[in-house]
Amino acid sequence: MSALSSLARLQAVAAGIAQPLATVRHCHVSDAPLVLVPLKLAGEAAAPLAVMLGSDPGDPSLLVVPQPRNRDLRFAFAASLAKLVLNHIETSRGAVEELPPGKEGEERIRYGDAPQLLVPNRGGVAFLRMMGRSTRFRSTEGPYAVEPAVPVLGRWLTWFADRHDHPGSSLMGAVTELLRLHWATGQSSLEDGNLAALTGWIDPPAGLDGPAAAARAEDPVVWPPAGPTTDPTFDNEVLAPAIAGYDRSGGDSRAGERLHAAIAGQLTPTWDLMWRAVGLLRALPEGASVPRRWERDRDAFTYYHQTFGEAYPQARRDPPVRAARRLHDLERAQDAYDAQRAFDDPLVMAEHRLSGQAFGGTVTECDPARLDETGKRPKLRPLLRVATRDPVRLDAGATVCSADRPALKGRIVELDDDGGVVLELTGGMGRKLVPEAGVVPEVGDRVCFTSLTEGSFGAAKFPDREDTPWTHGGPPGEYVPTDEDAEEDWS
Amino acid sequence: MTDTAPDLDRLRGGAPPRNHDARTIAALTSNPGCARRGVMDAAGVDKDAVARELGFPAPFGQSQFAITRGNAFEAQVKADGCAELLTLLRERLGLDVPEVAYDDLEVVAGNEGRELRHSRTRRLVARALENGEGTLFDHPLLRLEIAGHPAYLEPDVIAFQLAGRLHVIEVKSFAVVDGQAEPEQVAAAARQSAVYVLALRRLVAELGHDPARVSHDVFLVCPENFSNRPTATPLDVRPQLAVLERQLARLTRIDDILAELPGDLTFDLGESLAASVRAVDARYAPECMSGCEMALFCRDEARACGATGALGRSVRDDLGGVDTVGTALGLADGSLHPSDDLAETADQLRAAARLRAEALQGVA
Ligand code: SF4
C-alpha cells in the first residue's frame, strides 16, 4: 500500500465504483487461456472435489470426484484432469522460432506461444500446487500404479505454481490479484479476495453501484465462493446429502448426475465471472514491456517442455544452492518488474514521484548544445532546469533517466528549495557533439526523470551443484523418487 | 470476584456466561483496542446470538466435512490414552516419557460449574508440579485476567508434564506437507498456544511455583503430508507471548470502560439491543472478520460513518491516521484546512491527489 493507492480507495468509496491503479495492462492475457476453477473438500489438504475448466467461455468441462475420500476415484479424477490440462499445454505452443545459437554453438529455439492458466485466487494457485505435490511422485508401475498422465500432470502443475511465484510472469495467474493490480475498490483487501465482490466494484451490473454489487456478492446463495473452499452451508445442506446419496446408490449414475448438477451450480457463477474478468483485463491497452516479459515466460516454458523427458520430478524441497539462486532470481525479477511497470505507466510512476524517487515537471531553461570541455575530449552535456512540485528525495549527483525514453540518461547537478532541479544530460543523445533532433526536451516540455533503472544486475555467482559447500550439506544427490513416494497415502 | 461482576452479569441479561475459546482469544490479540468486544467478552455475552438478533449473523459456518475430519483426527491421536501421541513424543521427538497417566478434565457429568472445573485443573497441576504425578491433562479449564476481569479459557489442548515441566500440546487437523504448513494457520495456532502458555504460567505462579516451569516450546500435532498419520512439530511461541503480554498490559481496564457507560445498559436480546451495542465504542478493522462474531455489524457501522479503518489498517496508516474518508478527501482536494498535527499528512494527500489526476489525464 501507499498513500497513492490508499487515496484511490477513498476515491472509490466516494465514487461508489472502483478507481484505476494503472493506465495500461501489466500482464499478458492469452487469446485462449485455460481457466480452472477448482474446489476441494473442506478440512482436507488436497482432496479435490471438482474443477470446472476450459478455454472456451461457452464450453466448460466439469470434473467431479463423487466420493472425495475414495482413493481410486481421486486418481481417476487426476487422470481426467491430466488429459485436459496436458492437451491444452501441447496445443498452446505455437510455431517454433529459431534463435541465434548459444555461446557454445548449441541450438536454441523458442515456442511462439505458451499456455496460460488462470485460477480465481491465490487459494486456487495453492491448491493446484498441492495437487502437483500429491501426484508428481506417483509411480505408473507396480502395486500403486496410476495412469501415466498423472505424474506428468503433477510435474506441470508444480512448474506452473512455481512460475506464479516469479514476479511479472503470466503463465499462471490468480485473477483477483490481476484485477487488484489495476483497480482500487472502496473495500479492504480482505473483501477484494472475493472475486464476485471485487468484480462488482470494478464493473457493477446495470442499476447497481459498487457497494451494492459487492454486498450482493457476499451472499453465498447468489454468488457461491470462488473456491477452492466451498460454502459451509452448501456442504452441510446440499453436498453432504448428495455424496451420501451417491454412496448409498453404489455409484448409480443418477445419483452421480445429481451431485454433478449441484456442483455445477456452485461453479458456474464463478466460471462466468472469470471470463468477465478476463474481458476487463483485455480491454486495457497492453503495457509496453508486457511482450518482453511474456517472451521470458515462453523461454521458460520452451526449456521445461524440451527437457521434460530428461528431468526428474521436482524435489520435495530445494537443495540449498538452488534455493539461494531461486531467491536471488526472484528478487531481481521483482526489481525489474517494478521498474518496467513504472516506465510503462505514468500512474505507477506517480508512486515513485510521491516517494521522491522520480520527479515530473516543466522544462524552464535549456542549454541543448552545452559541451563539457574539462576532459581530453569535449563531451556533449546539455543542461536542463525542470520546475517540479514533486517532493524530490534525490541528491545532487544522482543518476536518473527519462521516464518516456529510458535511454536518455542524466545526472542531477543541483536542487533548489523552490522546486527547481538542474540536470546534466549524459547519454542517449547520439554519438555526435550535437544531440539528435527531438531528443533533448525543450523549454515548456513536460518531462519526468527517475532514478529507477530496468537494470540487469548480472547473474549472481553461486557454486555449481557439485561444489555445494559442506556448510550447505555438500553436493545434493539428484532427487530420485522412491517407492515410498509412489505409494504415499492420499487419504 | 471483582466489583464489576454484578454489572457484568446484568450486561449479559440473565443468559449464562460464555467461556473464552480460540476465536475470542484471536480477536483479543488482533484487536486489543476495541472496548465493545472487551466489555462483551468480559461479561461472557453470547456475541453470536447478539449478532444474529441484530441481523448480522457471524459468517463462521463450519462445514461438516471439516468438523468430521478434525474430530476424527483428534480422536485418533487421543485414542487408547493418547497412544499415538505418546509414540510421537517418544520416537519423533526423542523425549524420554516414562510411565503415563492421562486425565481428561472435560465436563464428565452434566453441567459442571466452571469454578469447579477450574479448581480441578488447579489441583492436578499442583500435584504434577509438586510430585511429578500425571502426564497428560486434556481440556484443562484455565483462567486469565483480562482487562482486570478473570476470563475462563476453554482450550482444546493438552498440558503435558515431563520432568517437572509443563508443555502445551495443540492438535490441529491442517496438514504439514514436506515439513511445511500454511503459514497463516501456523501463526494462528502459535497465537492461541501462547495464550494457553500464559494462562498456565499464571496458574503455576499462583500455586507458588516458578512460571518458567511452563515451557515456551509448544507441540503442534498435525496430519503429515496427505495421510492421517500425525506428526509433531515443536513451536517456540516466545514472540507471540511477548506480544500478548504487551497487549494485555495495555488493555483499558473493563472497570474504566464500564464507568463511562449508562447504568442500565444490557445486551439482553430485544428492541434496544442495537442501541446498547452502539453505546460501547468499537474499533473495526478487517481483521475482525476472522475473529469476532460482531464483525458484520461493526463493519456496517464503520462504513456508514465513513471510517477509514474499514478499508484496512494499512490504508489508515497511509492516511496518517485520519479517521474518516470525508476528512481525508477534504484534505486531499484542499477543501479542508489541516490542523497543525495533520499538516504533513495533508501535504502528502494533496501531492497524491495531484499526481493521480495528472497521470490519469495522460499528462506526463
Ligand atoms: S467486530 Fe466489532 S466488537 Fe468485534 S472486535 Fe471488531 S470492532 Fe470490536
Side-chain angles (χ1 to χ4, degrees):
Chain A
M1 283 288 158
S2 67
L4 210 77
S5 57
S6 291
L7 177 66
R9 281 191 186 269
L10 302 184
Q11 291 170 336
V13 172
I17 190 163
Q19 299 295 305
L21 284 180
T23 61
V24 296
R25 171 159 46 76
H26 294 289
C27 58
H28 173 85
V29 179
S30 292
D31 291 336
L34 182 65
V35 167
L36 297 116
V37 187
L39 289 183
K40 73 177 186 114
L41 189 69
E44 308 277 338
L49 171 64
V51 59
M52 189 172 266
L53 74 163
S55 39
D56 175 355
D59 185 24
S61 305
L62 174 60
L63 305 175
V64 172
V65 191
Q67 171 45 276
R69 296 186 198 282
N70 179 315
R71 180 189 159 97
D72 293 337
L73 293 177
R74 210 180 275 186
F75 279 112
F77 168 88
S80 327
L81 179 62
K83 219 171 103 201
L84 295 174
V85 172
L86 299 179
N87 179 54
H88 184 83
I89 291 173
E90 293 305 324
T91 51
S92 304
R93 275 187 275 151
V96 172
E97 292 170 19
E98 304 273 347
L99 301 179
K103 270 196 270 15
E104 276 140 41
E106 72 275 19
E107 245 177 58
R108 292 192 322 141
I109 59 161
R110 176 189 297 138
Y111 294 142
D113 206 353
Q116 180 180 42
L117 269 47
L118 294 178
V119 294
N121 46 38
R122 278 167 187 271
V125 176
F127 180 69
L128 292 186
R129 193 192 300 272
M130 274 295 176
M131 274 290 289
R133 165 63 183 80
S134 64
T135 50
R136 70 178 186 261
F137 300 122
R138 301 291 159 181
S139 170
T140 55
E141 306 160 357
Y144 298 97
V146 298
E147 289 217 17
V150 170
V152 177
L153 171 75
R155 290 172 58 191
W156 275 110
L157 289 182
T158 304
W159 183 80
F160 275 104
D162 192 58
R163 287 298 299 181
H164 176 79
D165 297 341
H166 200 87
S169 169
S170 293
L171 286 160
M172 177 182 256
V175 165
T176 46
E177 283 180 8
L178 298 179
L179 292 174
R180 280 162 50 82
L181 193 60
H182 299 90
W183 284 277
T185 67
Q187 58 187 2
S188 77
S189 47
L190 179 94
E191 285 116 2
D192 280 352
N194 176 338
L195 179 61
L198 179 59
T199 320
W201 268 99
I202 297 171
D203 183 25
L208 292 183
D209 64 359
R216 238 182 37 172
E218 283 184 359
D219 180 352
V221 177
V222 185
W223 286 107
T229 320
T230 45
D231 170 28
T233 312
F234 167 76
D235 278 8
N236 298 341
E237 289 174 11
V238 182
L239 186 60
I243 291 179
Y246 174 82
D247 282 345
R248 270 198 312 276
S249 76
D252 169 71
S253 68
R254 262 196 327 242
E257 274 161 30
R258 266 199 297 279
L259 189 60
H260 216 82
I263 289 175
Q266 290 291 292
L267 286 171
T268 307
T270 303
W271 172 262
D272 295 338
L273 216 47
M274 287 290 282
W275 290 102
R276 239 175 83 200
V278 167
L280 289 168
L281 289 167
R282 277 201 185 122
L284 294 169
E286 183 174 77
S289 61
V290 172
R292 219 180 330 148
R293 285 198 296 276
W294 182 241
E295 197 176 275
R296 294 288 82 73
D297 277 338
R298 281 156 51 208
D299 281 336
F301 169 65
T302 308
Y303 179 78
Y304 192 65
H305 188 267
Q306 292 269 306
T307 55
F308 194 90
E310 303 147 31
Y312 286 113
Q314 300 90 335
R316 287 162 175 248
R317 277 189 247 184
D318 273 347
V321 172
R322 218 188 108 86
R325 180 176 290 137
R326 177 177 144 85
L327 201 63
H328 176 83
D329 287 349
L330 294 186
E331 281 167 9
R332 274 182 48 190
Q334 185 70 54
D335 290 344
Y337 177 51
D338 288 346
Q340 287 168 3
R341 272 186 307 145
F343 284 111
D344 287 357
D345 186 344
L347 197 47
V348 177
M349 188 59 88
E351 300 263 9
H352 299 278
R353 290 173 63 181
L354 190 63
S355 70
Q357 302 308 305
F359 60 92
T362 313
V363 178
T364 51
E365 289 169 35
C366 179
D367 182 356
R370 175 176 168 263
L371 294 180
D372 176 354
E373 289 172 306
T374 53
K376 267 192 232 129
R377 273 193 275 144
K379 287 184 242 144
L380 177 62
R381 289 291 180 267
L383 276 184
L384 292 182
R385 179 183 287 272
V386 179
T388 180
R389 293 161 65 194
D390 296 352
V392 189
R393 277 191 201 94
L394 296 168
D395 297 321
T399 309
V400 292
C401 69
S402 158
D404 303 320
R405 251 177 42 87
L408 185 65
K409 305 261 188 286
R411 200 172 57 81
I412 295 185
V413 179
E414 191 186 302
L415 294 131
D416 51 37
D417 291 336
D418 47 357
V421 183
V422 180
L423 270 182
E424 177 187 67
L425 298 181
T426 53
M429 297 164 287
R431 319 186 117 251
K432 311 216 182 74
L433 282 182
V434 264
E436 280 172 11
V439 167
V440 175
E442 294 168 15
V443 170
D445 282 356
R446 306 272 317 169
V447 292
C448 176
F449 284 89
T450 175
S451 61
L452 289 177
T453 53
E454 287 186 35
S456 72
F457 298 43
K461 293 273 176 288
F462 287 104
D464 288 331
R465 63 182 296 127
E466 308 81 78
D467 301 328
T468 306
W470 64 269
T471 45
H472 292 72
E478 276 287 355
Y479 191 85
V480 183
T482 61
D483 284 349
E484 210 179 302
D485 284 330
E487 67 190 65
E488 183 176 57
D489 276 1
W490 191 17
S491 48
Chain B
M1 285 286 118
T2 66
D3 332 336
T4 60
D7 277 328
L8 291 173
D9 283 338
R10 200 203 51 229
L11 279 175
R12 212 169 46 240
R18 309 260 307 177
N19 291 344
H20 275 261
D21 59 16
R23 177 161 288 142
T24 55
I25 289 154
L28 168 75
T29 49
S30 70
N31 197 355
C34 176
R36 180 175 295 167
R37 190 201 39 72
V39 168
M40 293 180 101
D41 283 351
V45 171
D46 184 346
K47 296 199 300 273
D48 197 39
V50 169
R52 232 175 307 124
E53 174 84 5
L54 292 171
F56 293 90
F60 295 148
Q62 254 205 319
S63 162
Q64 57 171 270
F65 298 113
I67 298 173
T68 312
R69 160 86 168 156
N71 292 345
F73 181 67
E74 194 177 333
Q76 179 196 336
V77 170
K78 291 184 179 172
D80 304 321
C82 295
E84 282 208 38
L85 179 61
L86 285 163
T87 314
L88 263 184
L89 295 172
R90 286 181 176 138
E91 287 172 13
R92 268 308 165 86
L93 302 174
L95 300 179
D96 183 19
V97 188
E99 92 282 28
V100 167
Y102 170 75
D103 297 280
D104 191 348
L105 298 168
E106 205 168 14
V107 190
V108 207
N111 232 340
E112 236 177 327
R114 20 186 218 176
E115 284 79 9
L116 208 67
R117 284 183 58 201
H118 178 62
S119 69
R120 202 161 84 221
T121 302
R122 266 178 91 97
R123 219 169 39 241
L124 287 181
V125 169
R127 230 175 43 196
L129 292 170
E130 269 146 39
N131 49 30
E133 263 179 62
T135 320
L136 297 166
F137 306 100
D138 202 356
H139 302 110
L141 188 70
L142 302 172
R143 213 162 65 165
L144 190 62
E145 184 115 331
I146 293 173
H149 186 79
Y152 285 92
L153 310 177
E154 195 155 21
D156 203 0
V157 296
I158 303 175
F160 164 52
Q161 191 258 138
L162 180 66
R165 272 168 81 78
L166 290 164
H167 297 260
V168 165
I169 299 178
E170 257 204 279
V171 182
K172 293 278 178 195
S173 62
F174 57 79
V176 174
V177 177
D178 298 337
Q180 286 192 316
E182 264 183 47
E184 301 93 75
Q185 289 185 304
V186 177
R191 272 198 306 272
Q192 285 169 25
S193 299
V195 180
Y196 305 141
V197 170
L198 186 69
L200 257 181
R201 283 191 170 170
R202 299 262 160 102
L203 174 62
V204 168
E206 275 172 40
L207 292 167
H209 296 280
D210 180 3
R213 288 180 70 177
V214 181
S215 169
H216 54 248
D217 279 325
V218 305
F219 297 115
L220 205 54
V221 175
C222 300
E224 184 172 37
N225 296 341
F226 308 104
S227 71
N228 291 322
R229 254 192 333 268
T231 177
T233 321
L235 201 63
D236 179 352
V237 299
R238 263 176 295 184
Q240 290 79 9
L241 270 172
V243 172
L244 178 69
E245 286 189 271
R246 202 169 53 233
Q247 283 171 345
L248 287 179
R250 274 195 355 216
L251 281 186
T252 320
R253 289 184 56 84
I254 294 294
D255 305 17
D256 296 346
I257 302 174
L258 290 175
E260 303 284 308
L261 297 175
D264 55 352
L265 193 75
T266 169
F267 298 122
D268 218 350
L269 307 184
E271 269 171 35
S272 57
L273 183 61
S276 301
V277 171
R278 288 212 171 85
V280 193
D281 283 340
R283 187 178 292 184
Y284 175 79
E287 287 78 5
C288 293
M289 278 295 177
S290 59
C292 184
E293 290 85 347
M294 298 297 296
L296 288 174
F297 177 83
C298 297
R299 184 182 72 172
D300 187 63
E301 180 190 57
R303 282 179 174 172
C305 54
T308 50
L311 297 173
R313 291 213 172 107
S314 62
V315 173
R316 199 161 174 271
D317 292 347
D318 282 341
L319 301 172
V322 176
D323 283 328
T324 68
V325 175
T327 309
L329 286 174
L331 292 174
D333 66 19
S335 61
L336 279 181
H337 289 285
S339 56
D340 285 350
D341 54 330
L342 282 183
E344 210 178 301
T345 303
D347 276 349
Q348 169 97 348
L349 280 170
R350 272 199 303 271
R354 176 177 59 81
L355 287 169
R356 266 189 71 77
E358 223 180 80
L360 284 169
Q361 277 159 20
V363 195

